[in-house]
């Protein structure tokens, strides 16, 4: 019988590459933790309706890509395809918005599921780190999130990315634009499905990646020309604040993104080395979402950055993160008595916070040394204490030497 493989569109994260994923999650969340965002974790599945109402009935995510299931108790659930709706649901459920401290700023990290056509950079199970600032309408908050994402990418050493920025207007001006766009789209030579989409959600047609559609969209009315004064002023303030922070961006009048809940500010981070799946992260303002899922009016803004694609972006730029050696001390004992004592010393070192490992499995010296090599030790020092050095004095001296050396060298191999 052949061994099982990971399901289509998924992959396993294994060492050493998995260490980069952890470092990326850490790098993305550090600026958030530094800026008043508290950590939130929600279940991997929710009631289907949360997403159909929140993300939008006509979006690809809801119509084609959700993993849905009916439980034995007849609950209709979906594996979460994105984080915002769940985080807002959780914040409302816990009444975080009633505690007089708006905006509620939250960050999260987790796995998301979309039944997509699998290809490089597009998976059915992927990982995001996200941030949501709930309950305040303040251009500084939109700017803060854009600046923090930029800071996260830069802290990883990424440079080959661009920030695209747009405003989608609000419930005053967007309907007027929507109608103008619909009128334009009806005159085009589009397939049936696209025409249907034009009727339900015409803005999504702007996002169509097919060249045959894009060609016809030249000359389409742009939302920027339809923004009401309040939306225009808001957008100008976001742009001014991001510019003042020294963060470069490009205005992209056609940026709409694939989720229905966005209003006003929308942005996307695209990387130059990733081919067709170039979006490494994106987000925007979603002032109406809370009401759409049964809550009070809570204007909010957030983003989600894709961890998988950020790792691919690092690889595309040839960036190797400066990851600390996994193991500082690797202990190889010769003889049963030395082994017992050394195991105790390794335990002690670990309790002191020194990363230490041990040669397991009753190996001979050669095998144990191979383990030591594989342990990630970058620099090695050897301490020869003689074969009879299973004495407490010998091991104690050795440990002392290790402590002395730890500040100078990344790793050492202990052999007694
Ligand atoms: P979205 O939730 O669609 O706004 O996506 C935010 C980010 O998540 C994207 O910019 C990608 O980096 C990542 N992402 C979304 N869908 C996938 C996927 N199917 N595979 C890998 N990454 C994804």
């Amino acid at each position: 019988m052949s061994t099982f493989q990971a399901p289509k569109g998924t992959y396993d994260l294994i060492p050493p590459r998995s260490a980069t994923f952890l470092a990326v999650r850490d790098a993305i969340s550090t600026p958030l933790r530094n800026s008043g965002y508290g950590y939130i974790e929600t279940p991997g599945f929710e009631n289907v309706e949360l997403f159909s109402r929140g993300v939008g009935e006509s979006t690809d995510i809801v119509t084609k890509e959700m993993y849905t299931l009916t439980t034995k108790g007849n609950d209709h659930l979906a594996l979460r395809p994105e984080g915002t709706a769940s985080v807002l649901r959780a914040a409302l459920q816990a009444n975080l918005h009633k505690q007089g401290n708006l905006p509620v700023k939250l960050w999260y990290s987790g796995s998301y599921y979309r039944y997509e056509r699998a290809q490089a950079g597009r998976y059915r199970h992927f990982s995001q780190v996200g941030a949501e600032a709930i309950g305040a309408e303040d251009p500084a908050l939109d700017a803060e999130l854009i600046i923090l994402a930029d800071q996260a990418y830069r802290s990883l050493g990424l440079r080959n990315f661009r920030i695209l920025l747009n405003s989608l207007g609000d419930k005053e001006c967007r309907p007027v634009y929507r109608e103008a766009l619909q009128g334009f789209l009806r005159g085009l030579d589009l397939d049936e499905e696209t025409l249907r989409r034009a009727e339900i959600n015409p803005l999504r047609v702007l996002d169509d990646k097919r060249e045959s559609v894009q060609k016809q969209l030249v000359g389409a009315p742009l939302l920027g020309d339809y923004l009401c004064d309040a939306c225009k002023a808001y957008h100008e303030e976001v742009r001014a604040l991001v510019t003042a922070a020294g963060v470069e961006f490009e205005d992209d009048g056609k940026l709409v993104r694939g989720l229905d809940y966005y209003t006003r500010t929308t942005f996307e981070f695209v990387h130059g080395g990733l081919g067709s799946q170039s979006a490494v992260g994106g987000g925007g303002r979603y002032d109406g979402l809370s009401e759409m899922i049964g809550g009070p009016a809570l204007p909010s803004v957030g983003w989600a950055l894709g961890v998988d694609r950020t790792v691919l972006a690092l690889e595309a730029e040839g960036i190797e993160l400066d990851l600390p050696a996994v193991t500082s001390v690797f202990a190889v004992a010769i003889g049963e008595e030395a082994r017992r004592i050394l195991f105790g010393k390794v335990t002690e070192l670990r309790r002191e916070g020194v990363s230490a490992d041990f040669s397991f499995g009753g190996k001979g010296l050669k095998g144990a040394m191979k383990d030591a090599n594989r342990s990630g030790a970058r620099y090695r020092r050897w301490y020869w204490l003689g074969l009879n050095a299973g004495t407490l004095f010998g091991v104690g001296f050795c440990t002392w030497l290790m402590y002395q050396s730890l500040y100078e060298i990344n790793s050492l191999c202990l052999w007694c």
Side-chain angles (χ1 to χ4, degrees):
M1 195 172 82
S2 59
T3 53
F4 289 109
Q5 304 286 306
K8 191 173 173 191
T10 72
Y11 63 101
D12 304 307
L13 271 181
I14 50 177
R17 198 166 176 253
S18 53
T20 306
F21 276 71
L22 285 181
V24 164
R25 287 194 187 106
D26 199 48
I28 297 176
S29 60
T30 297
L32 297 170
R33 285 182 272 137
N34 219 9
S35 311
Y37 289 75
Y39 179 66
I40 183 167
E41 211 169 295
T42 63
F45 49 80
E46 298 272 355
N47 284 309
V48 171
E49 225 187 312
L50 174 70
F51 300 117
S52 46
R53 275 210 257 158
V55 176
E57 294 278 12
S58 71
T59 58
D60 284 350
I61 292 179
V62 168
T63 53
K64 298 183 192 157
E65 297 170 3
M66 265 201 307
Y67 284 88
T68 53
L69 60 128
T70 304
T71 66
K72 292 184 185 110
N74 219 24
D75 292 325
H76 301 293
L77 304 176
L79 300 187
R80 58 185 180 189
E82 61 97 52
T84 303
S86 309
V87 168
L88 189 55
R89 194 265 313 135
L92 291 171
Q93 186 176 333
N95 282 323
L96 295 186
H97 59 296
K98 289 187 182 160
Q99 292 165 17
N101 56 344
L102 297 177
V104 176
K105 301 208 287 187
L106 301 166
W107 76 273
Y108 56 91
S109 171
S111 294
Y112 297 86
Y113 308 87
R114 292 182 196 171
Y115 188 75
E116 300 215 63
R117 202 162 45 78
Q119 62 185 93
R122 194 205 261 167
Y123 310 107
R124 293 179 175 177
H125 165 273
F126 57 96
S127 167
Q128 291 183 338
V129 175
E132 314 291 346
I134 297 165
E137 192 183 78
D138 183 345
L141 213 46
D142 308 40
E144 168 175 288
L145 279 163
I146 295 170
I147 294 163
L148 292 176
D150 178 78
Q151 191 183 327
Y153 286 138
R154 289 191 182 278
S155 75
L156 286 163
L158 289 171
R159 295 293 177 267
N160 186 13
F161 67 88
R162 298 177 299 141
I163 303 173
L164 309 178
L165 184 64
N166 194 19
S167 171
L168 292 179
D170 62 8
K171 55 178 185 286
E172 300 303 318
C173 52
R174 189 150 58 171
V176 184
Y177 171 68
R178 193 177 184 277
E179 220 163 282
L181 182 61
Q182 248 165 358
F184 175 84
L185 294 175
R186 282 181 195 131
L188 302 184
D189 179 22
L190 300 170
D191 60 273
E192 222 166 274
E193 195 191 331
T194 314
L195 280 173
R196 204 168 33 244
R197 180 176 291 166
E199 292 309 313
I200 304 167
N201 191 346
L203 269 75
R204 292 276 293 113
V205 179
L206 294 179
D207 206 23
D208 199 310
K209 300 282 184 283
R210 288 170 297 177
E211 208 181 311
S212 58
V213 177
Q214 279 302 325
K215 254 195 224 151
Q216 299 190 64
L217 290 175
V218 179
L222 285 178
L223 222 165
D225 299 330
Y226 287 76
L227 290 183
C228 60
D229 287 346
C231 284
K232 238 185 243 166
Y234 193 95
H235 195 54
E236 279 316 308
E237 185 60 13
V238 175
R239 295 177 77 257
L241 289 167
V242 175
T243 306
V247 173
E248 284 175 25
F249 60 87
E250 294 166 30
D251 293 305
D252 180 351
K254 286 196 181 145
L255 180 71
V256 291
R257 316 205 62 252
L259 303 93
D260 274 359
Y261 50 59
Y262 287 116
T263 50
R264 290 196 169 168
T265 314
T266 41
F267 49 88
E268 198 154 84
F269 286 74
V270 291
H271 192 271
L274 296 186
S276 64
Q277 302 306 310
S278 60
V280 283
R285 182 155 275 285
Y286 48 94
D287 292 344
L289 179 58
S290 173
E291 287 153 297
M292 281 153 76
I293 63 169
L298 277 176
S300 308
V301 58
W303 52 239
L305 310 189
V307 178
D308 310 74
R309 285 191 201 163
T310 303
V311 172
L312 291 174
L314 287 172
E315 288 166 358
E317 286 199 43
I319 298 168
E320 282 202 21
L321 299 180
D322 189 17
L323 302 173
V326 182
T327 304
S328 296
V329 176
F330 195 94
V332 175
I334 300 171
E336 268 316 298
E337 196 192 342
R339 193 177 149 78
R340 210 167 299 120
I341 294 168
L342 208 48
F343 185 73
K345 286 295 157 192
V346 165
T347 303
E348 233 173 79
L349 281 174
R350 289 171 174 169
R351 285 184 180 141
E352 293 293 324
V354 177
S355 60
D357 205 355
F358 188 72
S359 177
F360 293 99
K363 294 194 183 84
L365 187 59
K366 203 168 154 205
M369 284 307 163
K370 274 193 186 153
D371 283 350
N373 269 342
R374 274 192 292 259
S375 71
R378 265 188 253 171
Y379 306 99
R380 236 166 273 133
R381 298 250 170 111
W382 304 87
Y383 294 97
W384 294 76
L385 294 172
L387 281 187
N388 203 13
T391 61
L392 277 174
F393 170 77
V395 173
F397 178 64
C398 228
T399 310
W400 178 81
L401 274 177
M402 283 192 285
Y403 280 125
Q404 296 306 305
S405 316
L406 273 176
Y407 294 99
E408 297 163 26
I409 59 173
N410 282 359
S411 180
L412 63 88
C413 190
L414 173 64
W415 177 12
C416 59

